[in-house]
């Protein structure tokens, strides 16, 4: 008896499976050669999972008596896995476009942070925003990510720094997870910064004794679901000891360790993460050789964020007249609000050593680091930057934005590749070669014709 299915994608020029043997990640030499089928078709069942993938004529013969809710002719086009964004901060209020001008003028990340901007600026506005306001803006941002091909995204709290606002953010994330088509991995990031008036030790005590027990209580009642725990392990923020205490406490509750480390200063965060069995560590611009080796041995993935180094790459010298300097400016040279800068750029934040990590066998993933400080929705753009600035190959970048990013979120058994039994999340691009998704800098809006989640079209160009 003939059966029915949700979706048939027919006659694609290329189907980029990424993996073909059930691999949970690709490391070492493996990401350099991805599984790609030429002239292939794919079937997604009514349960949203892939039922068949193979040569177009074989699929046509096998399913000749079957019915489909939707058929899409993919002649001359490429099918790829839905992209996975492994690191974002998408729930917040308070624009920070003025800080972009400050950075161009020479302010460092920590200059802005210490002057009351950065995280502190966003925290103030996020605390004041209603839950509905945060949800509406979050939904708009998810839509932008989805149109750029993302079908699974990690979403952090962290702009509350008190229990009330952190829970408000997590409720917003949970609501979107339940209502929206995009998959979400939720991260508690209450240790994103040390609240004003507290020391790092006091903030860690508050998180361990009050925040985490409340998360456990709400999780047991089914009100929220949290997957990961995050800490900003950084000089002047959370030191190594406070980071260890928070992460271990989260792990004891069953949360995956997935945290910020070795970004602005070498902190030995990679060594700590490997010791604690972290699923992933993000940033790693200042990681040590020993930290890289430890991560490779432990199977701890590196979530690299090329947008961050790109946005924070310069410091300026010199200035001219203008009227656009924000009042919170604070740096070595005092300036009035009638000053503007000319500047001579010099490197401030290193690019992560992706090549070293890949060669040492670290599982390398990518994320957009979407936040008010690095406003990027696009994983195709992130992959392009990873290739140009971090010397990754295009296959390595795609693996890092699919199967390895899914691994970093503990979801590579269901996401990140196109294989039978995996969730039917994929994109269709109007090109005869998949590499155009990375090659065309900023061209993804024209290339991506369909975004599909669980076999249902959620975006159609």
């Amino acid at each position: 008896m003939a059966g029915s299915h949700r979706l048939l994608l027919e006659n694609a020029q290329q189907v980029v499976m990424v993996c073909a043997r059930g691999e949970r990640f690709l490391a070492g030499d493996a990401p350099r050669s991805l599984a790609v089928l030429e002239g292939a078709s794919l079937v997604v069942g009514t349960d949203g999972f892939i039922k068949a993938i193979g040569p177009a004529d074989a699929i046509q013969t096998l399913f000749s008596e079957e019915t489909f809710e939707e058929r899409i002719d993919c002649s001359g086009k490429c099918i790829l896995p839905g992209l996975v964004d492994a690191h974002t901060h998408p729930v917040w209020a308070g624009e920070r476009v003025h800080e972009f001008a400050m950075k161009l003028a020479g302010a460092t990340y920590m200059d802005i942070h210490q002057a009351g901007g950065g995280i502190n600026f966003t925290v103030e506005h996020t605390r004041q925003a209603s839950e509905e306001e945060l949800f509406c803006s979050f939904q708009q941002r998810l839509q932008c990510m989805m149109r750029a091909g993302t079908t699974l995204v990690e979403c952090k709290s962290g702009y509350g720094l008190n229990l009330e606002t952190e829970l408000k953010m997590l409720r917003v994330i949970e609501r979107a997870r339940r209502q929206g088509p995009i998959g979400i991995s939720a991260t508690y990031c209450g240790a994103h910064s040390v609240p004003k008036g507290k020391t790092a030790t006091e903030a860690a005590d508050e998180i361990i004794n009050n925040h985490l027990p409340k998360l456990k209580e709400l999780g047991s009642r089914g009100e929220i679901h949290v997957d990961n725990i995050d800490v900003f392990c950084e000089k002047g923020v959370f030191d190594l000891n406070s980071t260890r205490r928070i992460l271990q406490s989260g792990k004891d509750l069953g949360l995956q360790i997935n945290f910020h480390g070795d970004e602005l200063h070498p902190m030995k965060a990679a060594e700590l993460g490997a010791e604690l069995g972290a699923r992933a560590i993000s940033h790693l611009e200042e990681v040590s050789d020993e930290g890289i080796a430890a991560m490779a041995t432990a199977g701890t993935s590196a979530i690299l964020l090329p947008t961050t180094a790109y946005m924070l790459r310069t410091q300026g010298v010199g200035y001219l007249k203008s009227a656009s300097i924000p009042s919170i400016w604070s740096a070595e040279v005092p300036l009035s609000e009638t000053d503007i800068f000319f500047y001579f750029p010099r490197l401030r934040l290193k690019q992560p050593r992706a090549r070293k990590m890949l060669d040492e066998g670290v599982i390398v993933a990518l994320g957009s680091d979407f936040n008010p400080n690095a406003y990027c929705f696009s994983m195709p753009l992130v992959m392009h930057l990873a290739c140009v600035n971090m010397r990754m190959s295009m296959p390595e970048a795609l693996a890092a934005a699919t199967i390895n990013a899914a691994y970093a979120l503990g979801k590579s058994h269901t996401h990140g590749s196109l294989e039978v039994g995996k969730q039917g999340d994929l994109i269709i691009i109007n090109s005869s070669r998949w590499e155009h998704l990375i090659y065309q800098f900023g061209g993804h809006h024209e290339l991506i014709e369909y975004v599909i989640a669980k076999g249902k079209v959620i975006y159609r160009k």
Side-chain angles (χ1 to χ4, degrees), residues 130-149:
S130 70
E131 194 167 315
E132 189 63 27
E133 289 170 334
L134 291 175
F135 179 75
C136 289
S137 61
F138 179 37
Q139 284 285 78
Q140 291 170 355
R141 292 163 191 155
L142 287 176
Q143 285 290 314
C144 292
M145 293 175 184
M146 178 263 293
R147 289 195 293 269

Side-chain angles (χ1 to χ4, degrees), residues 319-327 329 333-341:
Y319 60 91
L320 293 172
K321 247 180 109 165
S322 170
S324 61
I325 305 303
S327 59
W329 166 260
V333 181
L335 298 161
S336 72
E337 291 190 357
T338 59
D339 293 325
I340 192 173
F341 305 88

Side-chain angles (χ1 to χ4, degrees), residues 401-420:
T402 52
I403 190 66
N404 286 359
Y407 173 85
L409 304 180
K411 293 185 179 292
S412 61
H413 59 296
T414 52
H415 294 72
S417 64
L418 299 180
E419 300 176 85
V420 171

Side-chain angles (χ1 to χ4, degrees), residues 187-304:
T187 300
Y188 165 75
C189 190
H192 197 192
S193 184
V194 177
K196 292 179 182 179
K198 289 184 184 294
T199 66
T201 299
E202 290 169 341
D205 289 342
E206 171 71 14
I207 288 168
I208 293 166
N209 296 326
N210 295 317
H211 290 211
L212 293 180
K214 190 65 175 179
L215 293 186
K216 181 180 180 181
E217 175 191 336
L218 295 176
S220 66
R221 298 209 303 252
E223 295 184 24
I224 61 172
H225 177 82
V226 179
D227 300 285
N228 317 292
I229 185 161
D230 193 351
V231 177
F232 187 15
C233 180
E234 183 54 67
K235 183 178 178 181
V237 192
F238 286 94
D239 59 23
L240 210 60
N241 183 57
S242 295
T243 299
R244 176 192 294 274
R245 293 176 58 219
I246 295 168
L247 293 178
Q248 185 62 58
S249 296
K251 183 179 180 180
D252 292 344
L253 293 182
L255 301 179
Q256 296 179 131
I257 296 176
N258 187 333
F259 72 110
H260 293 62
D262 294 326
E263 178 184 359
L264 303 175
H265 298 90
M267 298 287 294
K268 295 190 179 296
E271 291 91 327
L272 174 65
E275 176 192 337
L276 295 178
R279 169 63 65 161
I281 306 171
S282 291
H283 284 289
L284 298 166
E285 289 85 354
E286 295 286 349
V287 68
S288 67
D289 289 349
E290 294 79 10
I292 290 174
M295 291 179 67
T297 300
T300 297
S301 55
I303 303 175
L304 305 185

Side-chain angles (χ1 to χ4, degrees), residues 302-356:
I303 303 175
L304 305 185
L305 311 170
T307 55
T308 311
Y310 174 77
M311 292 290 290
L312 302 182
R313 74 195 186 284
T314 58
Q315 180 183 24
V317 181
Y319 60 91
L320 293 172
K321 247 180 109 165
S322 170
S324 61
I325 305 303
S327 59
I328 65 170
W329 166 260
S330 173
E332 295 176 2
V333 181
L335 298 161
S336 72
E337 291 190 357
T338 59
D339 293 325
I340 192 173
F341 305 88
F342 64 89
Y343 67 97
F344 305 95
R346 61 181 189 263
L347 196 65
R348 291 297 292 166
L349 187 66
K350 298 177 187 176
Q351 291 286 342
R353 291 188 289 159
R355 196 72 264 146
K356 170 76 170 174

